[in-house]
């Protein structure tokens, strides 16, 4: 059963300015490396549908959805915060990104795919219940998790976030939610300066100091993530897959390598195999050094799809 690869051309039309790091070329870099690696041909490609208001409203208040629609410009660019802007195509792209999360979850939970990767933008893990932030408008991984619980009756969803920035929006949405365990590593102190102040019991937050690399990351995963995931016994695992902790990414100061992304995916895959029937859905978050992003995403997808052996 091939792994699903969910994306949409609308996600290439969202632009926030000529020099903004969260740019369309990020998705092109992943596509280029899929071709160069030879694994693209083994994935089942799907176009992302548009998320519905019903799907989004499980996470975001309907007033917030209306405010985002009202803010969408017919021309030019509108800033929602200093880092996050909308052009005339952004709303459609954001609806595709959240729709990909729902669609991929449906594919995996219906048995049409065992795993799925969503190559979409804008990313999502900084989007809080009613606040866009940090390049994010809708919280894609949260939309997927709530869909799994409310539409499919899943009792335990694990969210694994290895982006260099703390997924503050995801924590805002799910703290003290018994259906969700979130395990994350992130550089600290660093934007968005959260994740260390008395986290809820279902938040396994592991801050890493600037300069931390493979050893510190792998120690955190082995020592903290894996015992928590084993105890939680997730029925579905979602990834907030940000690749900006890579040593080549100049926006941050962690020093992960391509191989770290393959390794951590393999570790989590063991948990998925034991408790979740192998079911995993991954959503693209950060990663701004294009070559490193493409290579690292392919390492992640290769293991996710079982193409590493």
């Amino acid at each position: 059963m091939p792994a699903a690869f969910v994306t949409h051309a609308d996600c290439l039309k969202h632009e926030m300015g000529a020099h903004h790091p969260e740019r369309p070329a990020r998705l092109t870099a992943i596509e280029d490396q899929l071709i160069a690696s030879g694994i693209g041909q083994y994935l089942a490609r799907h176009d992302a549908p548009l998320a519905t208001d019903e799907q989004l409203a499980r996470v975001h208040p309907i007033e917030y959805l209306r405010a985002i629609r009202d803010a969408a410009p017919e021309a030019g660019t509108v800033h929602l915060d200093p880092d996050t802007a909308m052009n005339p195509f952004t709303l459609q792209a954001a609806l595709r990104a959240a729709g990909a999360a729902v669609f991929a979850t449906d594919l995996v939970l219906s048995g049409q795919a065992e795993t799925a990767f969503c190559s979409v933008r804008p990313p999502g893990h900084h989007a809080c219940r009613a606040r866009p932030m940090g390049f994010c408008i809708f919280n894609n991984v949260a939309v997927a998790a709530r869909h799994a619980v409310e539409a499919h009756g899943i009792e335990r969803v694990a969210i694994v976030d290895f982006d260099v920035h703390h997924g503050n929006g995801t924590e805002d949405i799910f703290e003290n939610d018994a259906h969700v365990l979130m395990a994350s590593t992130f550089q600290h102190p660093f934007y968005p300066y959260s994740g260390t102040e008395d986290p809820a019991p279902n938040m396994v937050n592991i801050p890493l100091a600037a300069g931390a690399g493979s050893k510190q990351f792998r120690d955190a995963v082995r020592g903290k993530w894996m015992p928590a995931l084993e105890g939680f016994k997730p029925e579905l695992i979602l990834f907030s897959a940000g690749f900006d902790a890579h040593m080549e990414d100049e926006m941050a100061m962690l020093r992960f390598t391509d191989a770290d992304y393959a390794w951590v995916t393999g570790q989590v895959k063991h948990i998925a195999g034991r408790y979740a029937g192998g079911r995993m859905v991954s959503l693209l978050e950060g990663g701004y050094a294009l070559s490193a992003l493409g290579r690292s995403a392919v390492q992640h997808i290769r293991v996710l799809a079982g193409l590493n052996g």
Side-chain angles (χ1 to χ4, degrees):
M1 186 188 302
F5 184 85
V6 185
T7 188
H8 199 283
D10 285 350
C11 293
L12 295 168
K13 298 177 183 178
H14 161 57
E15 295 200 45
M16 294 188 285
H19 302 292
H20 200 292
E22 206 292 279
R23 57 202 192 274
R26 299 178 63 234
L27 300 191
T28 310
I30 293 172
E31 295 282 1
D32 289 348
Q33 288 294 330
L34 285 175
I35 293 167
S37 67
I39 73 167
Q41 63 186 310
Y42 299 108
L43 306 175
R45 297 184 68 96
H46 301 271
D47 277 344
L50 300 167
T52 66
D53 281 3
E54 178 188 6
Q55 292 161 352
L56 294 170
R58 295 178 181 134
V59 170
H60 302 290
I62 200 73
E63 295 79 12
Y64 176 72
L65 305 182
R66 290 195 193 106
I68 293 296
R69 290 185 189 278
D70 289 345
E74 293 185 11
T77 301
V78 170
H79 274 82
L80 304 176
D81 76 1
D83 301 313
T84 313
M86 299 181 76
N87 75 354
F89 306 102
T90 298
L91 177 60
Q92 199 83 345
L95 292 171
R96 296 284 184 197
V102 171
F103 180 73
T105 300
D106 284 340
L107 285 177
V108 167
L109 292 180
S110 67
Q112 296 176 71
E114 189 170 281
T115 62
F117 181 81
C118 299
S119 187
V120 292
R121 48 184 298 276
H125 75 155
H126 294 308
C128 299
R129 284 185 184 90
R131 180 186 175 192
M133 185 177 171
F135 314 163
C136 304
I137 294 172
F138 303 131
N139 194 307
N140 306 321
V141 76
V143 171
R146 280 272 162 80
H147 183 69
V149 171
E150 297 190 20
H152 291 274
I154 296 295
E155 292 287 335
R156 295 180 305 281
V157 180
I159 296 173
V160 171
D161 187 334
F162 49 69
D163 192 278
V164 79
H165 304 98
H166 174 238
N168 62 300
T170 312
E171 178 162 335
D172 173 61
I173 291 160
F174 290 120
E175 59 184 352
N176 293 310
D177 186 325
H179 292 294
V180 175
L181 176 79
M182 181 178 174
S184 66
T185 51
F186 49 92
Q187 183 176 326
H188 182 81
F190 200 48
Y191 180 90
Y193 305 101
S194 59
T196 59
E197 302 274 326
D198 193 25
N202 65 322
M203 297 289 145
V204 185
N205 296 347
I206 314 298
L208 299 174
S214 299
K215 182 184 187 304
Q216 293 91 336
F217 176 54
R218 296 186 185 207
D219 286 350
V221 171
R222 289 190 194 100
K224 302 291 187 180
W225 283 15
M226 298 303 282
L229 290 166
E230 287 277 2
F232 187 64
K233 298 178 174 57
E235 298 170 275
L236 172 69
I237 296 177
L238 306 176
F239 287 92
S240 268
F243 300 98
D244 39 3
H246 195 284
M247 64 171 59
E248 293 175 24
D249 202 307
E250 296 180 353
M251 281 185 64
M253 289 152 278
L254 296 187
R255 301 191 58 77
F256 295 4
T257 67
D258 299 14
D260 289 325
Y261 295 107
W263 177 84
V264 71
T265 309
Q267 296 297 301
V268 175
K269 188 172 184 174
H270 288 308
I271 299 289
R274 193 168 299 140
Y275 302 112
R279 301 182 300 194
M280 297 180 288
V281 174
S282 183
L283 287 301
L284 179 64
E285 299 284 2
Y288 308 101
L290 296 182
S291 177
L293 167 63
R295 298 191 320 266
S296 301
V298 163
Q299 290 296 317
H300 173 61
I301 294 166
R302 188 190 296 276
V303 179
L304 200 70
L307 298 171
N308 55 319

